[in-house]
């Protein structure tokens, strides 16, 4: 057999012999339910944080734009067409 054929066979053999290497991380498969819950809550918080930050920035920009519009007052039309 060529070397290229041995590589997938060797990888498959290692995965069969060492199934613990397939786990993503030890926390996901922890026997302690409290640790798993803490990991899940932390992961959810970190996933939602960017959306919350971007939403807050968008809300602030909209609020500031409305404040500036109120300060400027109505815009008068001088009757000339826009160029």
């Amino acid at each position: 057999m060529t070397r290229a054929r041995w590589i997938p066979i060797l990888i498959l053999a290692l995965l069969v012999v060492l199934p613990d290497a397939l786990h993503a991380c030890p926390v996901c498969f922890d026997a302690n339910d409290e640790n798993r819950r803490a990991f899940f809550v932390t992961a959810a918080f970190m996933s939602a944080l960017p959306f919350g930050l971007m939403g807050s920035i968008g809300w602030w920009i909209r609020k500031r734009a409305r404040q500036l519009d109120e300060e400027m007052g109505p815009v008068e039309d001088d009757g000339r067409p826009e160029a």
Side-chain angles (χ1 to χ4, degrees), residues 11-53:
I11 292 172
L12 182 62
L14 285 173
L15 292 177
V16 170
V17 174
L18 302 170
D20 290 335
L22 296 176
H23 292 294
C25 67
V27 177
C28 298
F29 303 101
D30 193 359
N32 187 350
D33 190 45
E34 187 176 329
N35 289 348
R36 271 190 303 211
R37 189 175 304 122
F39 178 76
F40 177 74
V41 169
T42 303
F45 172 74
M46 290 176 65
S47 297
L49 185 64
F51 295 111
L53 289 173

Side-chain angles (χ1 to χ4, degrees), residues 74-83:
V75 177
E76 294 182 18
D77 186 15
D78 60 0
R80 292 185 288 169
E82 293 184 24

Side-chain angles (χ1 to χ4, degrees), residues 50-65:
F51 295 111
L53 289 173
M54 295 306 293
S56 297
I57 291 170
W59 171 79
W60 179 82
I61 290 172
R62 184 176 179 194
K63 180 181 170 185
R64 184 66 180 139

